[in-house]
Amino acid sequence: MTINARNFSLEDVQRLFGFQEEYSESFTPVLSLEPLTELEQQELVQIRDDFDRYLTTGKVSKGQVKFLVVAPLMRLAGFYRYPIQITLEEDIADINIEDEDTKITGRMDILAVSKAKRITANASFWILVIESRNSSVAPIEGLPQLLTYAYKSLQYQTSVWGLVTNGQYYQFVYIKHDALIYQLMPVLNFMESQRAIDLLQALKAISQL
């Protein structure tokens, strides 16, 4: 039986892969957040204003979310610089669940890998995997899909960062190989000035790992 990862619920992911959920009230135990420069803050406001103009007119599509917000934020956070490489709409290698006689397929929205860290001949070090939704869908609905993709990378590394967003709200997830724990960070509302700063600080910190 073949199943697409987008059809999974959190219950499915926890049962099939053994994931356990934890909550964190702060980024600081796992990330070192540095102050933004004045220029970075100005660009952040511009990105937010551009997105807000679309948001006030109605639903913003998944493609618009990636183009208007996610891509400029990743550029500002340093994800376009060496040694990071961005790939889009990439198929995951099939995941086979032998006990269930199940094969899982899927496609990641955005994946950032390090070209400086080669794990095997066919596997790069995953830095951040991003799953986006349109603005009318809660980001948490993309979490099962994100965890399924991250599960594949955890065969080769001890942890990976994930991000689920609908453009306005951002849910970071720190996924650890040890006991297959996924740690949910505080949800950030991009339309709130301080939370937007927190968002960019977190992205910058992840890009520098």
Side-chain angles (χ1 to χ4, degrees), residues 50-101:
D50 290 341
F51 180 66
D52 187 48
R53 183 166 62 86
Y54 281 79
L55 196 60
T56 54
T57 63
K59 185 175 76 172
V60 184
S61 72
K62 175 177 177 174
Q64 288 174 315
V65 166
K66 288 191 286 187
F67 187 80
L68 292 168
V69 197
V70 177
L73 282 173
M74 293 186 75
R75 178 194 59 78
L76 192 55
F79 279 92
Y80 293 0
R81 302 179 197 132
Y82 183 83
I84 300 175
Q85 178 170 307
I86 303 295
T87 59
L88 305 175
E89 299 290 338
E90 180 166 313
D91 292 327
I92 61 169
D94 291 342
I95 300 173
N96 293 292
I97 309 296
E98 294 182 4
D99 292 345
E100 302 271 341
D101 192 23

Side-chain angles (χ1 to χ4, degrees), residues 24 27 139-140 168-172 184-189 195:
S24 177
F27 288 88
I140 199 70
Q168 179 174 357
Y169 294 99
Y170 292 76
Q171 175 73 75
F172 282 96
L184 296 174
M185 299 293 149
V187 177
L188 303 176
N189 183 350
R195 299 292 81 78

Side-chain angles (χ1 to χ4, degrees), residues 18-74:
F19 275 117
Q20 301 178 60
E21 185 176 85
E22 288 185 355
Y23 287 90
S24 177
E25 296 182 358
S26 172
F27 288 88
T28 51
V30 286
L31 289 177
S32 177
L33 304 185
E34 300 177 357
L36 302 183
T37 66
E38 186 173 334
L39 181 60
E40 287 171 336
Q41 293 189 54
Q42 290 172 357
E43 290 198 47
L44 188 62
V45 170
Q46 185 62 63
I47 295 168
R48 193 176 72 230
D49 289 348
D50 290 341
F51 180 66
D52 187 48
R53 183 166 62 86
Y54 281 79
L55 196 60
T56 54
T57 63
K59 185 175 76 172
V60 184
S61 72
K62 175 177 177 174
Q64 288 174 315
V65 166
K66 288 191 286 187
F67 187 80
L68 292 168
V69 197
V70 177
L73 282 173
M74 293 186 75

Side-chain angles (χ1 to χ4, degrees), residues 7 15 21 48 104 111 120 122 126 128 130 134 138 161:
N7 297 321
R15 176 178 60 83
E21 185 176 85
R48 193 176 72 230
I104 301 165
L111 175 65
T120 70
N122 300 315
W126 288 25
L128 176 68
I130 300 177
N134 69 59
W161 278 94

